[in-house]
């Protein structure tokens, strides 16, 4: 298929979902994509960035939240360079009850307006299907998170959240505060700080002011246990290789668990 305006077309390699599309489908979108920069705490709600559009993050990471609970807006999941925001457009819905906030240091996204997007999907059923496959994967991520928040101890939830942020970040250092993690998990800041201190004492993390470095991802995955990995493994099976790879740890009563300020087998 010819590549219109290839010289001026944006590079899509920063988004794994776009990269996973068949070339013919990708080129239905590429001429209409624009690159934008978003800053920390910028919001995407109902009409992303002030216009109806689909957003493919590159270096930016978004936290998707329930928007109907006033100041209480628990996190439902994360979207980074593996996915997209605004998929309700593909279902004929322009408004959403969720909003997305840029996490950490901000970054870049690729966006496409609703008109060209829907025209492209009308030309290719496989394009719509491949994009909606990601939406279904996000629903699985959300289900895993809601289930974990209901039954898992806080240390497992904290480990899961850090792994999710790490998956969508460049390098091992995350720009975030204890307050931000506490808000995402709808828990007390002091409890998050206690978890961080224990993980730092076990040399799994290194904590600095508004910065956190993951030193031992493998052990952090063990702490997260079965709360992390199902949606990520399904993404790898159905869409594209997961950014950092994923291996489901077998459920075991001997998993690492934070208890009384120590990690014990």
């Amino acid at each position: 298929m010819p590549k219109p305006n290839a010289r001026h077309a944006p590079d899509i390699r920063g988004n794994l979902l776009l990269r996973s599309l068949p070339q013919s489908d990708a080129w239905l979108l590429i001429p209409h994509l624009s690159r934008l920069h978003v800053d920390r705490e910028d919001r995407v709600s109902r009409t992303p960035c002030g216009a109806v559009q689909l957003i493919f993050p590159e270096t930016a990471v978004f936290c998707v939240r329930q928007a109907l609970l006033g100041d209480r807006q628990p996190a439902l999941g994360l979207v980074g360079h593996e996915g997209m925001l605004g998929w309700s457009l593909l279902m004929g819905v322009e408004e959403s009850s969720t909003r997305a906030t840029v996490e950490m240091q901000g970054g870049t996204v690729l966006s496409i307006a609703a008109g060209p997007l829907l025209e492209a999907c009308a030309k290719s059923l496989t394009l719509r299907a491949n994009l909606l496959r990601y939406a279904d994967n996000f629903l699985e991520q959300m289900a895993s998170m809601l289930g974990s928040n209901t039954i898992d101890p806080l240390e497992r939830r904290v480990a899961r959240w850090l792994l999710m942020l790490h998956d969508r970040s460049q390098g091992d250092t995350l720009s975030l505060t204890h307050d931000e993690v506490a808000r995402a998990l709808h828990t007390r800041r002091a409890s998050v700080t206690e978890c961080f201190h224990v993980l730092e004492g076990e040399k799994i993390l290194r904590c600095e002011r508004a910065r956190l470095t993951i030193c031992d991802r493998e052990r952090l995955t063990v702490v997260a246990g079965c709360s992390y990995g199902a949606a990520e493994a399904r993404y790898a099976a159905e869409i594209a290789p997961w950014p950092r790879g994923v291996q489901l740890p077998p459920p075991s009563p001997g998993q690492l668990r934070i208890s009384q300020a120590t990690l014990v087998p």
Side-chain angles (χ1 to χ4, degrees):
M1 179 175 180
K3 302 178 181 180
N5 302 319
R7 179 178 299 179
H8 304 291
D11 189 339
I12 64 170
R13 288 177 294 179
N15 181 276
L16 300 181
L17 179 58
L18 285 173
R19 281 169 51 184
S20 74
L21 297 176
Q23 188 178 43
S24 58
D25 284 348
W27 275 102
L28 290 174
L29 302 179
I30 287 173
H32 308 288
L33 291 170
S34 299
R35 180 168 286 109
L36 305 172
H37 185 275
V38 292
D39 295 318
R40 186 173 188 155
E41 297 188 358
D42 279 354
R43 295 181 180 181
V44 173
S45 57
R46 299 188 182 274
T47 54
C49 297
V52 180
Q53 57 190 305
L54 197 68
I55 292 175
F56 298 93
E58 295 179 303
T59 58
V61 179
F62 292 83
C63 178
V64 180
R65 301 174 184 274
Q66 169 58 261
L68 299 180
L69 300 177
D71 293 335
R72 300 175 60 191
Q73 298 185 348
L76 302 176
L78 290 173
V79 179
H81 64 294
E82 87 292 351
M84 65 180 184
L85 291 161
W87 55 78
S88 58
L89 289 172
L90 301 172
M91 305 171 190
V93 179
E94 292 188 358
E95 294 189 353
S96 171
S97 61
T98 63
R99 70 175 177 89
T101 304
V102 180
E103 299 293 291
M104 299 186 292
Q105 70 278 0
T108 61
V109 303
L110 292 170
S111 70
I112 180 172
L117 169 69
L118 297 178
E119 289 177 9
C121 288
K123 295 176 182 177
S124 173
L125 295 179
T126 58
L127 173 59
R128 182 186 293 270
N130 286 327
L131 294 177
L132 286 177
R133 188 173 292 115
Y134 170 74
D136 181 67
N137 186 262
F138 181 85
L139 291 178
E140 176 147 341
Q141 178 200 153
M142 183 172 69
S144 296
M145 184 158 186
L146 293 176
S148 177
N149 287 348
T150 300
I151 64 175
D152 284 336
L154 182 59
E155 66 269 14
R156 184 170 290 180
R157 294 163 55 201
V158 167
R160 181 181 191 275
W161 189 249
L162 295 180
L163 288 167
M164 292 168 63
L165 288 168
H166 192 219
D167 285 338
R168 295 162 175 84
S169 302
Q170 298 176 335
D172 297 326
T173 298
L174 309 177
S175 174
L176 79 165
T177 66
H178 297 203
D179 279 332
E180 289 167 340
V181 176
R183 286 200 302 271
L185 300 181
H186 201 56
T187 190
R188 296 170 57 246
R189 179 191 185 281
S191 299
V192 170
T193 298
E194 181 180 352
C195 288
F196 280 3
H197 285 167
V198 174
L199 292 169
E200 187 172 28
E202 292 293 322
K203 302 188 186 307
I204 295 174
L205 304 178
R206 183 172 69 252
C207 300
E208 303 169 272
R209 183 175 179 83
R211 289 164 61 90
L212 182 151
T213 301
I214 295 179
C215 303
D216 193 333
R217 180 183 169 91
E218 184 175 354
R219 293 181 67 203
L220 187 63
T221 303
V222 174
V223 175
C226 59
S227 71
Y228 169 82
E232 293 77 10
R234 184 175 170 191
Y235 182 100
E238 297 182 355
I239 300 175
W242 190 247
R244 295 184 185 271
V246 61
Q247 181 176 357
L248 291 172
S252 168
Q255 285 178 334
L256 286 177
R257 178 180 175 85
I258 296 178
S259 176
Q260 298 179 355
T262 186
L263 286 174
V264 295

